[in-house]
Amino acid sequence: MIVWLNGTHGAGKTTTSALLQPLLADARVFDAEKVGETLMDIRPGLPETDNFQHWPPWRLLVVETAARVLEYAGGTLVMPMTVLVERYWREISAGLAQRAIPVRHFVLHADQETLRGRIEGEHVIPSPFRLKYLEPYAEAARTWLHAEAEVVDTTHLTAAEAAERIAEAVKS
C-alpha cells in the first residue's frame, strides 16, 4: 500500500511522514523528490523546466520505483510529495492502479495565511520557490485535489497529531 501525503509547501508533509512511518506496521518513507533530483543531475540536462514534475519520465519513474520497492520489501510506502497538476496525479494514480497497488491519498491542508507564515518562518529569506506554489495549491484544492483525497487540516494540528489521524484512518 502507498500512503501519499499531498499538499503544498508548509503543510507539514515531510515532518508528518517521518512521524507517521513508525505508526504503520512495516512502513518506509519514499520521497519521490529524490527521483526528480536524479533526473536533474543528468548531463547534459533534460529540457529546461521550473519543476521536474513536468518531465514525463519523473511520473513514470515514481510509479516504477514505488512498485519495485513494494515488490522487493513489501509493507507500506509513505510518500510525501506535492502533486498539484491533476493530469500528473491521474497518470501516477493510474500507473499504481495498473500494478494493483492500493493508494490512500491524503492532503495536508492549511489556510493560506498559515502556509505563508510557515514558509516565511523557515529561513531568514523565505523561499520564492515554495511561496509561488501557494496559489496553484489553492486552485487545485478548489477544483479537484480535495475531492480526490482525504483532507487533514493541519492549520491547528501539530505534525504528530496529523500523523496520528492519518495512521488511525489507514488502520481502520
Side-chain angles (χ1 to χ4, degrees):
M1 166 190 286
I2 291 174
V3 176
W4 195 292
L5 302 184
N6 205 338
T8 196
H9 304 286
K13 296 179 306 297
T14 301
T15 304
T16 301
S17 66
L19 295 167
L20 177 60
Q21 180 270 324
L23 300 176
L24 300 173
D26 201 18
R28 291 171 176 77
V29 175
F30 167 40
D31 186 347
E33 189 164 329
K34 301 301 182 193
V35 174
E37 290 172 6
T38 298
L39 293 173
M40 289 169 40
D41 285 343
I42 292 174
R43 298 291 176 253
L46 296 174
E48 188 68 30
T49 183
D50 65 341
N51 186 330
F52 57 72
Q53 290 187 15
H54 298 318
W55 291 325
W58 177 80
R59 301 183 299 276
L60 296 169
L61 288 169
V62 165
V63 170
E64 187 65 24
T65 304
R68 295 297 178 173
V69 169
L70 286 171
E71 178 183 297
Y72 177 70
T76 298
L77 286 183
V78 176
M79 296 181 62
M81 188 71 223
T82 301
V83 179
L84 301 179
V85 177
E86 183 176 9
R87 180 171 58 89
Y88 298 172
W89 176 251
R90 299 247 180 263
E91 287 178 37
I92 292 166
S93 58
L96 295 169
Q98 287 173 345
R99 289 164 176 77
I101 300 170
V103 177
R104 291 291 294 270
H105 183 200
F106 293 88
V107 170
L108 301 186
H109 172 80
D111 61 60
Q112 292 284 302
E113 182 180 325
T114 299
L115 291 168
R116 183 173 299 284
R118 289 176 184 171
I119 293 167
E120 290 175 348
E122 289 174 330
H123 303 287
V124 174
I125 299 173
S127 165
F129 177 83
R130 293 167 68 88
L131 288 169
K132 83 176 188 176
Y133 283 93
L134 291 177
E135 183 48 42
Y137 167 72
E139 177 66 17
R142 278 191 302 272
T143 58
W144 71 272
L145 183 59
H146 283 193
E148 294 287 323
E150 299 170 64
V151 178
V152 177
D153 190 333
T154 66
T155 302
H156 302 292
L157 292 180
T158 66
E161 291 168 330
E164 285 287 341
R165 286 191 185 181
I166 294 166
E168 289 172 17
V170 170
K171 292 175 186 177
S172 63

